Amino acid sequence: MEDIIQDLKASLHKGFIDQQHNKSSRYVPELLINNTSQNKNVLTTLLGELDSCDSFLFSVAFITESGLATLKSHLLDLNRKGIKGRILTSTFLNFNQPKIFKELMKITNVEVRMTDIPGFHSKGYIFKHSDHYSLIVGSSNLTAHALQVNHEWNVKLSSHENGEVINHFKSQFEDVWNEAQPLTDQWIKNYETIYTPVNFQKAEKVIELPAEYKANPLKEALEIKPNKMQIAALEQIQEVRDGGNNKGLVISATGTGKTYLSAFDVRKFAPKKMLFIVHREQILHKAKSDFQLITGGIDKDFGILSGSTKQTDAKYLFATIQTISKQNMLDQFDPEEFDYILIDEVHKAGAKSYLKVIEYFKPMFLMGMTATPERTDDFNIFELFDYNIAYEIRLQEALEEDMLCPFHYFGVTDLEYNGELIDDATILSHLVTEERVNHIMDKINYYGFSGERVKGLIFCSRKEEAVQLSEALNNKGLRTVALTGDHSQEDRLLHVSRLENGSLDYIITVDIFNEGIDIPSINQVVMLRQTQSSIIFIQQLGRGLRKHDSKDFVTVIDFIGNYKNNYLIPVALSGDKTQNKDNIRKATAETSYIKGISTINFEEIAKKQIFKSINNSNLTAMKVLKDAYTELKNRIGTVPYLYDFIENHSIDPVVIADKYKNYYQFLLKLKEEVPSLNGYENSVLTMLSIEILPGKRKHELILLDQLVRHKKTTNKDYLHTLEKSNCIVDQVTLHSVHRILSLSFFSQNDQKKYGLDPIVEFIDGSYSFNSKIKESLENNSYFKLLIEDVIKTGIEKSKKYDSDKSLTLYKKYSRKDSCKLLNWDNDESSTMYGYKPKHQTCPIFVTYHKNSEVEASVDYGDEFISPELFKWYTRSNRTLQSEEVQKIIHAEENNIDVHLFVKKDDDEGTGFYYMGEVKPDKETVQQDKMADNKPVVHMNMVMEQPVESKLYNYIVNGLE
């Protein structure tokens, strides 16, 4: 208890008296704001407090469905742990709709009361923790915009339970609570009878207006103008044409307005005659009306060419590929008849029918449009368009530009059957049991939907499941229909129409609705199958992302079972194609890459299933890397190199180097015909790829870059460049750089692998490559290209590390990295084990969750006591008198910097998260005994900086 009081005092001093006060504490007052450019928002802090609290109190005037949705999975996890809370709200200004109160009633661990205090407009969130209270108070109501995007000011304060401020807040809350009315079903029914929608003119002075609220929607409809994305796209399409190109490919996420974009460009191009090709007839009529709206013109200018209609003389002709590709139809047109041709969903253009049409016509400009240019066959869409990507906007950017309907994704836990989670081998009869159907209904009811009534799509893994599930849900009172590939086009259109007009609740399907069907009113997407492909995942998610007046957001409910491909979920949502397991773990734990008011939420058990899948997956299997390589080669039209992977957001080059030693070896494995390297050149490339490419220290990269460009550089020029790059410049660091590039730092085995000779020589104040490398750089242009590629890529990767520090907080490092970056003379990683005091430093490495089979002699009780306290054990058979123990206890007096590195478990490989410097708390040092009776010493280490909440929770919460 004394510790918490001291920390609070230090926090108050820093927060209210002297910001330079150097005693770090987790309780320093904070201003919470929404800043999308810095990936900051109020919601992240609020959820961090919620996830770690023992109970909570919210006093909020206004609550929206989207705001509540951001908390739902977290509240469910709290319910599982037996943690409860209370919410106090009101009907002030009639802002809170009746439906939000129904949603609140679904959350069984939250008690809600309604106050009728006139002008109730409070916005406060109180969290009780085991040793303190946290309070967030300011301008943010419980709405998605207020918590994520609006300009808001909120203060987060921490208090001892005896603090006057927190007791004022609690007392105020209790006073209002005791006079307030409990929320009940009957109260909601009464409220519905008197509720009138909010008067925005009256309310705008005191509440935030929804982003989509428009004062005059009719006026908006009459003045259709390109949005921000379309303006940029139109400029870039014109640049393609100005460059003398007659083809262009537009890659644009589903729902981002590709048809409008093409219509704007056609209006600008002003063709004498245009052809628009689609693969399904029902899309034609919508495209035709959209074009007429944008381009203007009389009705007879716009014609349809399909199985049933042949209006071939129209200025703007909209055709199905099935009709236009028939030889007798092509023969009716002059090859130069259309000066502008558009192909929708052009990723299908590898089919013979498309190629036949493309080869026949000779337009002045050919545009292809697709959301997913990547293909699983060998056809290269990019080559078809001469590698001219006129514009590209994917899911993340489209959300950021507010072009799509926001979504709340919930990764929920699937049902256990006989103690095992549903997996890809589960037989059909177990997928549609009474218990699982009830489980599905519980989840879709709890997570809900935006709008008056549900309009949902459910994706299953097999036809039989869709049929049986539809029958089971219908027996429970829902109105559903199963649609599979066996149904005709007419059947599909009929049921889509029924869903849109409200006579159906759900369409249950396998994968026929992945693309090509447009149902803008969909407000709930349910995934009841494992994710086999990130492309299909995004296609299915995209079914609900079109904006529609009937909804403010889309609810996506993904049932996560024990599937081996669960790792593809964060890959698809983040768009991360690096195949780097740490990046995918981060995309699961930290979801700030989703912009706007969309959110990604995983129930705790579902999240553990994803981490398990990441650990068990071979993301560097040759097939995976080859597919990514082929996709990139198709995109750029030539053999890609490491920097191309970075530039095109593809595989992390370090993943390739870790597996194949260097990129040259990878290309040989792929049987690419490339110029050869000799054995020594291969060794040098291996050294640079393994040791320098990751970019964890910029110094070596800067020197190598200077030497490749200038053959030689002086120590003075090198130091000047380091200073200009904001790098640490001291003798011990420079000495370390020398030892790395001379190879003297490395073990004998590594030196042999890297060619034995120093890479760089330092003579008479100048640096240069050794003579063999100089000769190779002069005589083997391919070797030079590969070296330059490694350096350029390494410099790009180094931007993610702090150049003015030896180690960057929360980045991952191996024991070998720590020897290098803490400026040790040699790589002593093989004898470092858990820790080693040396060269005035002491790195400590901890595997947090030990293997269950670990021996008693090394089963240490290392653990986080809190985000700023770590209980650490020395190795076995050490006493208080041991020399190494004394060094660590008295680290401050001995001027030894102690650094803590932690990894979750051994599945994370050799990398440990850097937690920063720590200081031993001498008052907690104790000698104890291990399970095998051997002595051990343990002590609390005080973190220089409290561990960020997401990483802390990730490490502390085990997989089991």
Side-chain angles (χ1 to χ4, degrees):
M1 186 57 71
E2 187 61 32
D3 289 342
I4 178 83
I5 291 172
Q6 292 306 314
D7 278 342
L8 284 166
K9 284 181 178 177
S11 300
L12 287 168
H13 195 95
K14 189 178 183 72
F16 292 99
I17 299 172
D18 180 7
Q19 63 179 324
Q20 304 301 324
H21 186 59
N22 59 13
K23 174 125 177 83
S24 173
S25 175
R26 61 193 280 211
Y27 305 118
V28 173
E30 287 181 73
L31 174 66
L32 305 182
I33 60 170
N34 299 315
N35 186 323
T36 52
S37 64
Q38 295 178 13
N39 276 343
K40 286 183 176 179
N41 60 40
V42 179
L43 179 63
T44 299
T45 302
L46 191 149
L47 290 179
E49 292 295 322
L50 192 63
D51 290 343
S52 59
C53 73
D54 295 333
S55 65
F56 59 91
L57 308 174
F58 293 175
S59 179
V60 283
F62 306 125
I63 308 175
T64 61
E65 286 182 73
S66 192
L68 186 62
T70 64
L71 310 185
K72 277 189 172 179
S73 66
H74 299 264
L75 293 171
L76 196 69
D77 286 329
L78 291 180
N79 195 14
R80 195 167 47 84
K81 299 173 190 172
I83 292 171
K84 299 182 177 181
R86 292 184 280 164
I87 296 179
L88 182 64
T89 187
S90 76
T91 58
F92 179 47
L93 293 177
N94 275 8
F95 180 87
N96 292 336
Q97 299 174 355
K99 192 178 172 214
I100 192 61
F101 296 121
K102 294 177 184 177
E103 294 299 315
L104 284 164
M105 289 291 288
K106 295 176 184 177
I107 305 169
T108 56
N109 57 324
V110 175
E111 186 182 356
V112 181
R113 289 194 182 180
M114 313 297 304
T115 178
D116 56 5
I117 292 176
F120 179 81
H121 201 233
S122 68
K123 307 167 193 74
Y125 307 84
I126 300 172
F127 305 91
K128 183 183 187 304
H129 298 278
S130 57
D131 57 0
H132 73 287
Y133 279 87
S134 295
L135 168 69
I136 296 173
V137 63
S139 64
S140 288
N141 275 298
L142 187 44
T143 73
H145 282 89
L147 294 176
Q148 292 174 268
V149 296
N150 285 356
H151 188 83
E152 307 277 350
W153 278 17
N154 298 273
V155 175
K156 179 191 166 191
L157 302 169
S158 300
S159 170
H160 189 274
E161 63 180 5
N162 295 329
E164 185 175 30
V165 170
I166 196 66
N167 276 286
H168 272 318
F169 274 99
K170 283 169 59 187
S171 174
Q172 177 67 23
F173 181 92
E174 297 295 349
D175 285 349
V176 180
W177 180 266
N178 291 332
E179 297 296 322
Q181 192 170 354
L183 181 66
T184 62
D185 290 332
Q186 186 57 51
W187 184 95
I188 296 171
K189 283 179 184 174
N190 295 341
Y191 182 57
E192 282 181 308
T193 63
I194 61 168
Y195 174 76
T196 53
V198 61
N199 179 338
F200 284 103
Q201 298 303 314
K202 179 180 178 184
E204 66 181 346
K205 294 175 183 169
V206 287
I207 61 175
E208 64 278 1
L209 285 172
E212 291 307 302
Y213 177 71
K214 291 182 172 66
N216 189 343
L218 181 62
K219 186 170 182 286
E220 292 282 336
L222 295 173
E223 296 178 3
I224 299 177
K225 296 177 180 176
N227 60 33
K228 185 178 174 184
M229 180 281 286
Q230 289 163 341
I231 290 169
L234 290 168
E235 289 173 358
Q236 291 187 31
I237 294 167
Q238 188 58 49
E239 283 177 20
V240 168
R241 285 197 288 262
D242 290 345
N245 302 292
N246 64 353
K247 296 177 183 175
L249 180 63
V250 170
I251 302 167
S252 185
T254 300
T256 52
K258 291 191 293 292
T259 307
Y260 272 23
L261 169 63
S262 61
F264 285 126
D265 194 55
V266 167
R267 185 173 74 183
K268 181 178 183 180
F269 192 91
K272 291 176 183 173
K273 201 168 182 184
M274 178 213 79
L275 174 64
F276 188 110
I277 301 172
V278 301
H279 67 289
R280 286 194 177 148
E281 187 168 345
Q282 69 267 25
I283 304 172
L284 279 184
H285 298 279
K286 177 72 166 66
K288 174 175 165 281
S289 63
D290 286 347
F291 261 72
Q292 192 163 3
L293 196 63
I294 301 295
T295 61
I298 56 178
D299 288 348
K300 74 171 188 175
D301 283 349
F302 299 84
I304 295 288
L305 177 58
S306 66
S308 55
T309 310
K310 306 286 189 296
Q311 299 168 329
T312 56
D313 292 333
K315 177 180 179 181
Y316 301 108
L317 185 60
F318 298 81
T320 61
I321 187 64
Q322 294 84 356
T323 303
I324 190 78
S325 62
K326 289 176 181 173
Q327 191 60 50
N328 64 342
M329 185 56 67
L330 283 176
D331 290 342
Q332 295 182 36
F333 296 101
D334 185 300
E336 296 183 0
E337 182 141 355
F338 301 102
D339 35 359
Y340 195 126
I341 295 179
L342 285 137
I343 302 177
D344 194 25
E345 306 290 1
V346 76
H347 54 275
K348 299 176 183 295
K352 286 181 182 177
S353 55
Y354 281 92
L355 293 176
K356 184 179 178 183
V357 172
I358 291 169
E359 288 166 9
Y360 180 81
F361 287 113
K362 309 295 178 196
M364 294 171 66
F365 191 67
L366 173 67
M367 184 197 281
M369 300 184 294
T370 179
T372 51
E374 301 85 3
R375 290 176 58 89
T376 52
D377 60 23
D378 291 330
F379 188 78
N380 187 352
I381 293 296
F382 300 99
E383 183 181 22
L384 189 63
F385 286 85
D386 299 337
Y387 306 100
N388 295 319
I389 300 174
Y391 191 73
E392 181 168 9
I393 184 164
R394 297 294 182 106
L395 178 65
Q396 313 303 331
E397 297 97 329
L399 286 167
E400 192 166 3
E401 295 297 333
D402 192 31
M403 298 165 64
L404 299 175
C405 179
F407 68 88
H408 295 297
Y409 168 92
F410 299 99
V412 307
T413 315
D414 210 331
L415 188 71
E416 286 191 5
Y417 187 84
N418 288 339
E420 296 290 328
L421 273 174
I422 295 285
D423 63 22
D424 42 8
T426 301
I427 62 175
L428 177 64
S429 61
H430 295 166
L431 293 178
V432 285
T433 60
E434 175 86 3
E435 191 181 3
R436 188 172 190 241
V437 172
N438 287 338
H439 178 71
I440 292 167
M441 289 191 66
D442 284 346
K443 294 294 185 185
I444 62 179
N445 177 57
Y446 179 78
Y447 287 111
F449 55 88
S450 172
E452 292 303 311
R453 60 181 323 118
V454 68
K455 293 180 181 179
L457 269 183
I458 299 178
F459 291 98
C460 293
S461 56
R462 40 197 130 155
K463 293 178 186 177
E464 299 85 354
E465 181 188 359
V467 172
Q468 291 187 28
L469 181 62
S470 176
E471 186 179 334
L473 291 174
N474 290 346
N475 289 337
K476 298 278 186 184
L478 288 175
R479 300 167 304 161
T480 76
V481 66
L483 283 182
T484 71
D486 298 335
H487 288 85
S488 68
Q489 192 65 30
E490 290 71 23
D491 281 344
R492 296 180 196 181
L493 290 175
L494 169 67
H495 293 305
V496 166
S497 177
R498 290 179 64 206
L499 186 73
E500 292 214 280
N501 69 29
S503 55
L504 268 184
D505 298 320
Y506 291 95
I507 291 175
I508 305 173
T509 185
V510 182
D511 56 13
I512 60 169
F513 280 16
N514 292 358
E515 57 183 353
I517 294 285
D518 192 11
I519 318 174
S521 61
I522 284 176
N523 53 22
Q524 192 185 78
V525 176
V526 180
M527 298 175 176
L528 283 170
R529 80 293 169 275
Q530 65 168 318
T531 299
Q532 294 281 20
S533 152
S534 56
I535 294 172
I536 291 174
F537 180 95
I538 291 299
Q539 285 176 340
Q540 294 181 346
L541 171 70
R543 292 308 93 207
L545 295 185
R546 288 194 185 276
K547 290 188 173 184
H548 194 264
D549 291 343
S550 66
K551 63 185 183 183
D552 293 324
F553 61 90
V554 184
T555 302
V556 182
I557 307 170
D558 192 357
F559 286 77
I560 297 174
N562 187 24
Y563 301 132
K564 64 181 181 181
N565 288 339
N566 280 336
Y567 73 89
L568 286 171
I569 296 169
V571 167
L573 288 166
S574 65
D576 186 296
K577 298 179 182 178
T578 60
Q579 300 301 116
N580 182 316
K581 286 191 175 187
D582 290 327
N583 289 356
I584 300 172
R585 289 186 186 101
K586 186 176 180 185
T588 308
E590 170 55 71
T591 59
S592 59
Y593 49 82
I594 284 291
K595 304 299 182 185
I597 63 167
S598 295
T599 59
I600 295 169
N601 311 271
F602 295 102
E603 292 176 8
E604 198 61 41
I605 295 170
K607 189 184 290 184
K608 288 176 181 177
Q609 287 300 124
I610 292 177
F611 287 135
K612 178 180 169 186
S613 167
I614 296 168
N615 292 343
N616 294 340
S617 297
N618 180 7
L619 301 189
T620 59
M622 187 59 190
K623 183 185 183 312
V624 175
L625 298 183
K626 184 180 179 182
D627 286 349
Y629 171 87
T630 303
E631 182 186 310
L632 182 54
K633 185 180 179 182
N634 285 347
R635 170 180 279 261
I636 65 176
T638 186
V639 170
Y641 287 89
L642 295 177
Y643 193 76
D644 293 312
F645 287 98
I646 292 271
E647 201 167 34
N648 290 279
H649 310 289
S650 186
I651 305 169
D652 182 352
V654 171
V655 168
I656 298 173
D658 282 348
K659 179 142 187 175
Y660 293 99
K661 304 289 190 286
N662 62 55
Y663 193 61
Y664 173 68
Q665 291 299 324
F666 178 58
L667 292 175
L668 293 182
K669 284 280 184 188
L670 291 171
K671 297 186 168 49
E672 285 282 11
E673 291 186 15
V674 292
S676 62
L677 302 186
N678 63 38
Y680 182 66
E681 290 166 344
N682 184 67
S683 296
V684 170
L685 187 62
T686 294
M687 183 274 173
L688 297 182
S689 300
I690 292 173
E691 304 294 346
I692 309 300
L693 174 67
K696 294 180 183 181
R697 182 164 69 186
K698 207 170 185 176
H699 297 64
E700 289 88 347
L701 287 158
I702 287 173
L703 181 53
L704 292 167
D705 183 52
Q706 286 185 316
L707 294 182
V708 166
R709 287 190 289 118
H710 306 300
K711 297 185 181 178
K712 193 173 185 179
T713 189
T714 65
N715 186 49
K716 183 180 177 182
D717 286 343
Y718 175 47
L719 288 175
H720 176 68
T721 310
L722 287 177
E723 286 169 354
K724 229 166 64 173
S725 302
N726 198 33
C727 291
I728 300 170
V729 181
D730 56 35
Q731 285 307 308
V732 287
T733 303
L734 293 176
H735 178 66
S736 172
V737 172
H738 293 177
R739 291 192 66 79
I740 296 294
L741 294 176
S742 69
L743 303 189
S744 50
F745 167 82
F746 299 102
S747 66
Q748 285 188 333
N749 280 342
D750 278 348
Q751 287 183 25
K752 190 175 178 183
K753 184 168 67 178
Y754 298 155
L756 292 173
D757 296 329
I759 304 286
V760 173
E761 296 173 340
F762 181 61
I763 303 169
D764 297 332
S766 291
Y767 297 94
S768 63
F769 285 119
N770 71 44
S771 57
K772 286 194 285 188
I773 296 175
K774 282 181 191 171
E775 186 179 343
S776 287
L777 288 170
E778 285 178 18
N779 299 327
N780 187 342
S781 60
Y782 189 62
F783 173 67
K784 184 176 183 183
L785 181 152
L786 292 171
I787 295 293
E788 288 174 334
D789 184 40
V790 167
I791 294 168
K792 184 179 181 183
T793 306
I795 288 172
E796 186 62 33
K797 286 191 69 66
S798 74
K799 292 175 182 176
K800 295 188 175 178
Y801 295 86
D802 296 330
S803 59
D804 59 343
K805 296 184 178 72
S806 300
L807 298 157
T808 302
L809 209 57
Y810 310 136
K811 292 294 181 185
K812 288 189 94 172
Y813 299 94
S814 65
R815 290 178 173 88
K816 184 178 181 181
D817 289 331
S818 77
C819 294
K820 182 195 300 183
L821 299 173
L822 292 174
N823 300 323
W824 289 18
D825 282 346
N826 301 98
D827 173 12
E828 300 187 38
S829 55
S830 61
T831 58
M832 185 179 291
Y833 308 111
Y835 60 96
K836 194 166 193 174
K838 195 156 191 177
H839 298 300
Q840 300 307 113
T841 61
C842 179
I844 294 174
F845 292 87
V846 174
T847 302
Y848 201 83
H849 296 281
K850 315 289 193 291
N851 190 307
S852 57
E853 298 167 9
V854 75
E855 294 177 19
S857 61
V858 290
D859 190 12
Y860 308 109
D862 303 310
E863 64 173 340
F864 277 108
I865 296 167
S866 72
E868 59 178 16
L869 272 185
F870 187 81
K871 186 178 184 181
W872 175 70
Y873 282 70
T874 66
R875 71 194 85 197
S876 175
N877 221 10
R878 297 297 184 273
T879 69
L880 288 169
Q881 284 69 46
S882 299
E883 183 183 354
E884 67 188 46
V885 175
Q886 281 295 309
K887 277 185 180 178
I888 292 170
I889 293 171
H890 299 289
E892 279 195 84
E893 298 94 309
N894 296 329
N895 202 25
I896 294 173
D897 295 330
V898 184
H899 300 268
L900 179 64
F901 300 82
V902 181
K903 68 178 175 181
K904 187 184 184 77
D905 51 43
D906 283 328
D907 287 324
E908 292 215 352
T910 60
F912 294 74
Y913 292 98
Y914 178 54
M915 299 298 183
E917 287 192 42
V918 294
K919 289 186 168 46
D921 181 351
K922 292 180 188 174
E923 293 178 12
T924 64
V925 176
Q926 274 184 269
Q927 185 172 311
D928 216 327
K929 287 185 178 179
M930 298 288 287
D932 60 359
N933 270 333
K934 288 183 179 174
V936 69
V937 176
H938 61 79
M939 65 193 77
N940 289 349
M941 293 287 185
V942 181
M943 314 292 297
E944 185 180 43
Q945 191 163 321
V947 184
E948 64 177 15
S949 61
K950 298 252 182 191
L951 181 58
Y952 179 82
N953 291 333
Y954 167 67
I955 287 173
V956 171
N957 295 323
L959 283 177
E960 301 304 326

